[in-house]
Amino acid sequence: SFVIPNCRHCSAEHSTRPNVVFFGENVDPLIANASIAWSKQTDCIVVCGSTLQTQSSHRLLRYARENNPTVPIIIVNIGECRGDDMADVKIEYYVSEVLRSVDRLLADDSCDME
């Protein structure tokens, strides 16, 4: 199991906890509700580095598709994902490299995105 270290300076417990939800934990209800609302209104979903094994993450794809059957779903992950059957594009490569390439394309003034 993951152990959250105490602060090295004041020894406060869990003070260095990252702002993430660990596997098996619950997503804050406000964040969960906002995520559901956003997924129902999205133009595209891009999943980066997740197997979508948690119900809370996988259901966002389902909500998006139920609201808009043609919404593109792109998954960037090495290996099998729970959402692979819903993906329009699956990129099996390192997320960091894919995002660097996307950043370069978006920053390139000569790149015509229309």
Side-chain angles (χ1 to χ4, degrees):
S1 73
F2 187 80
V3 177
I4 300 168
N6 294 341
C7 176
R8 315 186 276 202
H9 304 286
C10 70
S11 299
E13 292 184 14
H14 307 293
S15 63
T16 57
R17 178 184 170 86
N19 190 16
V20 297
V21 177
F22 292 112
F23 191 81
E25 293 181 331
N26 292 320
V27 176
D28 178 279
L30 290 174
I31 294 171
N33 291 335
S35 299
I36 291 168
W38 290 336
S39 71
K40 290 179 178 180
Q41 299 172 27
T42 190
D43 296 325
C44 179
I45 291 184
V46 180
V47 177
C48 294
S50 174
T51 60
L52 299 169
Q53 289 302 311
T54 62
Q55 182 61 24
S56 58
S57 62
H58 186 256
R59 73 176 171 202
L60 297 176
L61 301 184
R62 289 197 329 269
Y63 286 138
R65 275 284 160 83
E66 287 170 7
N67 197 58
N68 178 359
T70 63
V71 66
I73 297 175
I74 302 164
I75 297 176
V76 181
N77 192 63
I78 296 175
E80 197 171 322
C81 292
R82 188 172 176 201
D84 283 352
D85 61 329
M86 297 177 73
D88 297 294
V89 175
K90 171 75 183 280
I91 301 170
E92 291 213 31
Y93 202 66
Y94 301 102
V95 171
S96 58
E97 292 298 319
V98 171
L99 293 179
R100 264 190 220 103
S101 295
V102 169
D103 183 55
R104 279 193 300 270
L105 286 171
L106 293 174
D108 184 356
D109 291 334
S110 65
C111 182
D112 183 17
M113 299 300 284
E114 305 237 357

